DNA sequence: GAATGTTATTCTATATATTGAATGACAAGG
DNA sequence: CCTTGTCATTCAATATATAGAATAACATTC
């Protein structure tokens, strides 16, 4: 709400910010919505909201049910996602590595893209089992500082401690670590190049993350391994080493 | 180009049409582009194009490389696609049927959404063999009237013959059928409820399609089966029957 | 190293997208 | 049946997004 207002004020093309907000809202809800409720939710003027929706319908990004007068996301968004998936360099390079790690250790692996201190987006995934619906997980968003990835981002992002703390306070964990413990774990991640979340984020689940750089500065991506804590115990050191190696090799390939 | 101009004139939120055009262009290219070349390609004023891009960057739909001053699609588009995939009714219902058919007949199956006479978008997919980059195919666009699906759409869409002919002339096939042959096949599809493309669209590949209705009017979706022509020959009648049955059952479920 | 062709970006007047009130359509409730 | 509330949609006045020229920062070429 405030975020949308801020973006609107600053931009020279506010209609686009409105459109994106509408798309995200429709995505979050899932169920079709009417003009009025969308407008109310986003703090938009109904008439403006109507024009935005009509434009989005014309672009096939939003579907309009003429009977119920309800709007929902349309398949057009898929086409954009496919185009992105086909061409993203990190994704292409990460997928084989993720598949290999998932198979070798019998775990689930993810590739994520980091958006500053704000959030990460899952862009690639591999699972040892036979499951498919996997691809549905791609595109998920998580807060940046949560779980193992969060420790990586804190360790290598060069962010002011105050910013970290502010964000840290608002995270949701199954079993939240204290600020001091977390800082220590971040420090350890900085030294070893791998971060571990042993059941903090999701009880009983161990998450390991290693940062990937596309250029200098903060890490742009990360590789993640997820496994049941108990089953992982013995192989953990080997997995950490493998994940760090894969991340380093990826960073090198992305440099060129 | 003309299409964009038309959309712009009519709309009360032209920035959104521009934004969508930019996203699609960036998707088609894959490689990052500069402001100027994007503007030139789309017939936009460079300054306006810059504002559009900045707005899209703020929404994380477009990534900006500050060094090269180039723009490309960003991972934000994934999040929208995921939201759509999770909630689309046709997709949820179609996936199990597609999986079953793919396994039983050892073929590839698709679920598509129909956008009038213009195009179709692949929204679900199943493959008998080892599934790899499958999910990458989801989101693909094809001309509406091509292959087996095209015959379905022509048969059940109630479109004026002139419109059909006009579109038909511009299709690209490996081995294009004559207008008369095609009309006859469309007629057959209308009678049997299934359309077959025996090597016209892609040489050596047989494509079968059955229409799915979400309401009354034109079919909104279709189920597609794809197999190597030679391998399919004997099982073809059974497959046609199975596909038609699955499509009918889906239509009934979507009604409620 | 000056010149020329690119770029991305800023600036400002004006066409126009946005607003907020008004309209019409519909459903629920008395 | 009339009222009341909510809905989508239209309309006209005005705040503002956009266009086009001007600027600035580069390369590339001579």
């Amino acid at each position: 709400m405030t975020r949308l207002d801020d973006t609107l004020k600053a931009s020279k093309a506010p209609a686009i910010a409105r459109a994106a907000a509408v798309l995200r809202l429709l995505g979050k809800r899932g169920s079709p919505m009417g003009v009025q409720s969308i407008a109310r939710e986003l703090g938009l003027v109904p008439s403006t909201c109507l024009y935005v929706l009509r434009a989005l319908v014309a672009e096939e990004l939003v579907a309009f049910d003429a009977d119920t007068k309800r709007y929902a996301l349309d398949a057009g968004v898929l086409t954009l996602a496919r185009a992105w998936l086909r061409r993203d360099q990190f994704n292409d390079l990460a997928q084989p590595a993720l598949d290999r790690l998932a198979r070798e250790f019998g775990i689930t692996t993810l590739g994520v893209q980091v958006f500053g201190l704000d959030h990460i987006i899952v862009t690639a995934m591999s699972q040892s089992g036979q499951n498919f619906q996997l691809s549905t997980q791609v595109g998920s968003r998580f807060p940046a500082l949560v779980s193992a990835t969060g420790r990586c981002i804190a360790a290598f992002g060069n962010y002011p401690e105050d910013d970290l703390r502010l964000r840290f306070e608002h995270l949701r964990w199954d079993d939240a670590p204290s600020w001091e413990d977390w800082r220590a774990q971040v420090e350890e991640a900085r030294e070893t190049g791998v971060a571990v979340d042993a059941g903090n984020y999701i009880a009983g689940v161990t998450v390991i993350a290693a940062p990937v750089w596309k250029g200098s500065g903060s890490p742009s991506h990360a590789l993640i391994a997820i496994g049941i804590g108990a089953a992982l115990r013995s192989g953990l050191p080997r997995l950490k080493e493998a994940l760090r190696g894969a991340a380093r090799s990826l960073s090198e390939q992305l440099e060129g």
Side-chain angles (χ1 to χ4, degrees), chain A:
Chain A
M1 183 147 36
T2 36
R3 205 201 66 78
L4 177 55
D5 283 354
D6 291 352
T7 322
L8 283 176
K9 287 253 163 47
S11 168
K12 291 250 179 190
I16 293 171
R18 280 188 276 259
V22 166
L23 290 175
R24 272 192 286 266
L25 176 63
L26 291 175
K28 188 155 52 175
R29 285 304 152 91
S31 49
M33 300 177 74
V35 178
Q36 203 90 207
S37 54
I38 296 171
R40 213 176 313 113
E41 192 95 7
L42 296 173
L44 298 179
V45 174
S47 58
T48 304
C49 187
L50 178 68
Y51 297 139
V52 168
L53 284 166
R54 287 221 254 249
L56 289 171
V57 168
E59 304 299 335
E60 284 170 10
L61 297 173
V62 165
F64 174 56
D65 185 325
D67 296 331
T68 64
K69 308 262 181 193
R70 294 277 122 94
Y71 299 82
L73 280 192
D74 204 353
V77 295
L78 270 190
T79 306
L80 293 175
R82 173 178 128 86
W84 184 88
L85 278 170
R86 278 210 313 187
R87 310 282 190 154
D88 184 64
Q89 206 192 358
F90 167 77
N91 239 35
D92 285 353
L93 295 170
Q95 192 68 56
L98 293 176
D99 289 341
R100 187 173 50 75
L101 289 171
R103 208 174 319 115
E104 187 176 338
F105 292 90
I107 54 175
T108 297
T109 52
L110 303 178
V112 303
Q113 180 168 336
V114 179
F115 288 83
L117 270 179
D118 207 59
H119 61 267
I120 61 176
I121 295 184
V122 177
T123 67
M125 175 162 189
S126 189
Q127 202 155 291
S128 63
Q130 278 312 58
N131 251 328
F132 10 90
Q133 298 318 45
L134 309 190
S135 56
T136 317
Q137 302 283 13
V138 168
S140 304
R141 279 170 64 146
F142 297 94
L145 288 188
V146 99
S147 193
T149 330
R151 297 181 175 93
C152 274
I153 294 170
F156 299 102
N158 295 314
Y159 295 107
E161 178 141 344
D162 291 352
D163 291 4
L164 292 178
R165 176 122 208 190
L166 202 68
R167 303 264 184 178
F168 180 82
E169 305 289 356
H170 293 91
L171 298 179
R172 295 182 175 274
W173 314 67
D174 267 7
D175 175 24
S178 72
W179 169 251
E180 289 74 21
D181 287 352
W182 190 75
R183 289 298 327 202
Q185 289 160 5
V186 167
E187 197 46 51
E188 191 189 329
R190 200 193 324 268
E191 282 159 16
T192 61
V194 198
V196 179
D197 176 298
N200 287 126
Y201 185 51
I202 304 169
V205 174
T206 296
V207 181
I208 309 168
V212 175
W213 278 265
K214 191 159 190 169
S216 49
S218 305
S220 59
H221 301 264
L223 298 184
I224 301 181
I226 304 172
I228 305 301
L232 220 61
R233 194 86 27 106
S234 65
L236 193 60
R238 241 181 72 240
L239 176 54
K240 283 168 73 172
E241 191 47 43
L243 198 69
R244 183 170 60 179
R248 187 178 328 179
S249 142
L250 254 174
S251 298
E252 280 162 14
Q253 291 178 73
L254 287 171
E255 292 285 348

